[in-house]
Amino acid sequence: MRAGFVGLGAMGVGMARNLHKKGLLAAVWNRTASKATALAAELRVAAPATLAELASGVDVVVSCVSADADLIEVTHALAPGLKSGALMLDCSTVSSETARQAAELLAPRGVEFLDCPVSGGVEGARDGTLAIMAGGAPAAFERARPVLEALGRTIAHFGPVGSGAAAKATNQIMCAGIIEAVAEAMAFARAQGLPLPILIDTLGKGAGSSWYFVHRAPNMARGAYPAGFRVRLHAKDLGICHDMAARFGVQLPVVERMLAEYAELVARGYGDEDISATFRLKEELFERTNIMGAPALRPPPRTS
Ligand code: NAP
C-alpha cells in the first residue's frame, strides 16, 4: 500500500515519519511547500507540487490539516487525482457534518473516506501511540488498518462516516474540563507556595492525575507554553462541540466557559500558544485585589 501524507504541521510531521518507518510513505505535500520538500529529501520520498499529483501516485491519502474549511479545500484539490478504489483517511479534528461532506465529494469517484481524528498530542503523533477514532464503512476501515496501526496504538471503529468526529468531539469536551481544572489547581498550588515540580511528580501518580496534568502542568511551573496543541485549535474544536450540542438545544457549561477563556487568550495574542496557557488567566485570579479591597497575597517567585 502506497500512502501520501497531507499537512505536515505539529501532528502531521510525526505521523508521516511513522508511515515512513513502516515502509508505507510514498509522498508528502504541505501548503507551505518548504516543509514538504525538506521532509521528502530527508526520507527520500516524493514531494509533488500539487495535491492532484500526490493523489494520482498513491492508494491511500492521510490528511491532518487545521480546520473544517481546510479539509474541504484539500479534498476538492485531491479529488481529480484520486484513483477509483483509493482511500482517504482524515485525521484532522472536524465536525461530523464536514466529514460527511468530504465523503460525499469523493464517493462519485469511487473513493472511500474515513474520518480518523486522533488524540494523544504531538508526543503520541511522534511515538505512533495515538488513539484513533474512525468513522466509515467497515470494509474501508479494515483496508485502512495497516496505515492506522502505523500511526496509533488504540484504534476503534465507531460507525458510519462522521462517528469518529463525534467521538473526538466527546474527547474535546472532556479535555476542556481537565484543562480548566489543572490550570486552576496549579494556580492555587503556586499561590500556596508549594514546590511545583515535586507537586507534579506526586499528584501525577494520584487519583486526580491525567495525561494532560503529567505532560502539560510542567509548562505552568516554567511559565512557558510552546505548542503543543494551540489555543486556537482547541477553541475551534469546542466551537464544533458547541454547534453539535446546539442541535439538541443544549449549551454545555464547560464548553462555554472554555470558549470564553480561549477568546480572552486569543485577544491577548496567545492563540498560538499551547492550551496550558490557560494558566495565565488562573494565575491572575490570585494576583488581583481580594474582595475586602486588600491586595491579595502575591504568589512566591517562580522556580523552575
Ligand atoms: P498545525 O501545527 O497548525 O498544522 C496545521 C497543518 O495544516 C499545517 O501543515 C498547515 O499547512 C495545514 N493547513 C492548514 N490549512 C490548510 C489549507 N487550507 N490547505 C492545506 N493545508 C492546510 O496543527 P496541528 O497541531 O498539527 O493539528 C492538525 C489537526 O490535528 C487539527 O485539526 C487539530 O485540531 C488536530 N489535533 C491536534 C493535536 C495537537 O496536540 N496538536 C492533537 C490531536 C488532534 P502550513 O504548514 O502551510 O501552515
Side-chain angles (χ1 to χ4, degrees):
M1 197 181 251
R2 289 164 60 81
F5 200 97
V6 173
L8 301 169
M11 296 295 286
V13 74
M15 296 165 79
R17 282 183 191 283
N18 285 323
L19 288 179
H20 177 69
K21 279 185 203 145
K22 291 280 155 86
L24 293 166
L25 190 69
V28 291
W29 184 93
N30 194 67
R31 180 179 59 182
T32 306
S34 55
K35 289 190 205 169
T37 47
L39 188 68
E42 183 198 322
L43 302 181
R44 295 172 192 276
V45 298
T50 67
L51 282 165
E53 249 180 90
L54 173 125
S56 66
V58 297
D59 311 300
V60 53
V61 172
V62 184
S63 53
C64 191
V65 295
S66 304
D68 295 58
D70 307 312
L71 170 62
I72 296 302
E73 193 181 320
V74 158
T75 309
H76 269 295
L78 285 165
L82 282 165
K83 297 180 277 199
S84 176
L87 276 177
M88 177 164 174
L89 315 180
D90 179 58
C91 299
S92 324
T93 304
V94 298
S95 71
S96 302
E97 196 50 46
T98 298
R100 285 191 283 270
Q101 224 180 307
E104 279 162 22
L105 277 171
L106 299 179
R109 309 192 71 88
V111 175
E112 289 204 88
F113 176 94
L114 290 159
D115 45 319
C116 301
V118 298
S119 177
V122 288
E123 293 88 344
R126 181 195 62 210
D127 300 339
T129 56
L130 293 167
I132 306 180
M133 295 147 267
F141 175 68
E142 287 310 319
R143 279 204 293 145
R145 246 185 208 290
V147 174
L148 298 177
E149 283 171 357
L151 302 174
R153 191 177 283 162
T154 308
I155 300 155
H157 181 233
F158 283 90
V161 171
S163 55
K168 173 71 185 183
T170 308
N171 183 69
Q172 296 312 80
I173 295 169
M174 217 153 49
C175 287
I178 293 166
I179 290 157
E180 176 96 349
V182 169
E184 224 162 271
M186 287 292 288
F188 172 86
R190 182 163 177 259
Q192 306 302 316
L194 292 170
L196 298 184
I198 299 174
L199 183 90
I200 294 166
D201 199 41
T202 310
L203 300 194
K205 295 173 182 81
S209 185
S210 59
W211 183 96
Y212 178 76
F213 178 72
V214 170
H215 289 86
R216 297 295 180 255
N219 286 354
M220 302 174 197
R222 283 191 299 269
Y225 314 97
F229 186 33
R230 293 171 213 280
V231 164
R232 63 173 88 251
L233 283 182
H234 195 215
K236 172 264 297 178
D237 297 352
L238 293 180
I240 292 170
C241 300
H242 168 95
D243 293 348
M244 289 174 78
R247 294 206 183 99
F248 295 82
V250 170
Q251 271 208 341
L252 296 171
V254 168
V255 170
E256 299 310 315
R257 201 167 49 237
M258 273 319 283
L259 277 169
E261 290 189 9
Y262 284 158
E264 174 72 23
L265 287 171
V266 170
R268 294 199 206 171
Y270 300 130
D272 284 317
E273 287 190 345
D274 184 75
I275 46 179
S276 44
T278 311
F279 184 64
R280 290 180 181 282
L281 304 180
K282 302 298 180 186
E283 218 175 12
E284 284 174 9
L285 294 175
F286 289 92
E287 290 169 359
R288 292 195 192 128
T289 45
N290 70 22
I291 202 163
M292 305 300 289
L297 285 174
R298 286 195 72 79
R302 182 171 271 121
T303 50
S304 54

